[in-house]
Amino acid sequence: MSDHKLDTLCIHGGQHHEPVTGAVMPPVFQTSTYAQEWPAKHTGYEYARTQNPTREALERCVATLEGGTDGVAFGSGLAATTSLLHTLPANARVVCGDDVYGGTFRLFTKVFEKTGMTFSFLDFSTTPLDRAIPEGTTLVWLETPTNPLLKVFDIAAVSARCKAVGALLAVDNTFATPIFQRPLALGADVVVHSTTKYLNGHSDVVGGIALTANPAVAQSLRFIQNAAGAVPGPWDAWLTLRGVKTLALRMARHQSNAHQIVAWLADHGEVARVYYPLLPSDPGFAVASRQMSGFGGMISFDLVGSLRRAEKFCASTRLFTCAESLGGVESLIELPATMTHASVPAEQRRARGLSDGLIRLSVGIEDPSDLLADLEHAMSASRA
Ligand SMILES: *Cc1c(COP(=O)(O)O)cnc(C)c1O
């Protein structure tokens, strides 16, 4: 099965018909426990925190998409990250990119730092890797492209350095999805997703998953999944699996719509800078062209003018909904400084190059001419 193309794997990867009825979609196994015919003699299913067939169908599907052997699903993207960190020793040293999802930053600095783990945040594209990732590093956390500045880091190069010092490499592949980037093939040990975003794709589920082809990592993730228990419910697993079936189609449309919007923004006199790695002027262009097969549907840009204007722009669109999150079929717009990244201290945001007026778009799959007209409208409405 896994030598099929990605478009096919979205639908068939790791799937089989339900054995009792032949149901083509796995049923929602809405049960907490399973009957045992004799004490401790069971079907392989004992208790639903430990095993649930609906969840397992999702785990197998996404594992094949990422080229992993194992998928381990969680109740949110941050629950997946939390669980991965719980597999590390208490004194783990973690190196993390300096532009990460705000919630990841908060989890590392406000929750795990006080348990004795240490975290450093830096730009892997400007810090020499032997300095960025010193001997004794336990885990490198790489988000690429990053949220919200769309910085691109070289996964293969970071992986080579991780292997030299015996560190694990985890890649948050939420933005690119396996359709455009497959980190395990580039040397990562674990891929983590917020399935809330593109994988589910319909803005109606919060979920997360970790994928790996490393048996020891798989075993410790599976242990934490059961021991700490941050599992998704069967309905959420089922909805996410349903979403994944159209992932390849959706990503193609997200991306072609994004290309039209990037072209419009890049040409606009009132846009100071566009962040999108497809642009040859983008610092991530060379690495992105090498390690990604597409650039996705996320765009950030700096509008000329005040923060007030950027706020007005976000409040003036009609099709783009002003909301956090991303990756759904509908277009969203947001202001990271006051919304998704408000948990990152202001001076730290500025040091990273995240301006207060930065606007982030999650381009949906609507008709591109309607989206462009909506942005035109917001441009003039925000000028007034
Ligand atoms: C949303 C997001 C997360 C966190 O996922 P949740 O499902 O909200 O817990 C992690 N990484 C990235 C890149 C995200 O966009």
Side-chain angles (χ1 to χ4, degrees), residues 216-227:
V217 172
Q219 198 185 1
S220 42
L221 278 169
R222 192 68 71 192
F223 173 79
I224 297 292
Q225 183 192 39
N226 181 50

Side-chain angles (χ1 to χ4, degrees), residues 117-137:
M117 290 190 185
T118 53
F119 295 86
S120 55
F121 296 90
L122 43 86
D123 184 332
F124 294 102
S125 58
T126 54
T127 317
L129 289 180
D130 51 353
R131 202 142 53 73
I133 305 165
E135 295 280 348
T137 302

Side-chain angles (χ1 to χ4, degrees), residues 75-81 100-104 141 143 145-147 172-175 192-197 205-208 325-326 360:
S76 70
L78 285 179
T81 307
V100 284
Y101 175 68
T104 303
W141 182 269
E143 193 179 294
T146 66
N147 181 359
D172 182 337
N173 205 26
T174 299
F175 267 36
V192 174
H193 280 278
S194 168
T195 55
T196 312
K197 316 295 168 52
V205 172
V206 170
S325 198
L326 60 108
R360 190 189 77 179

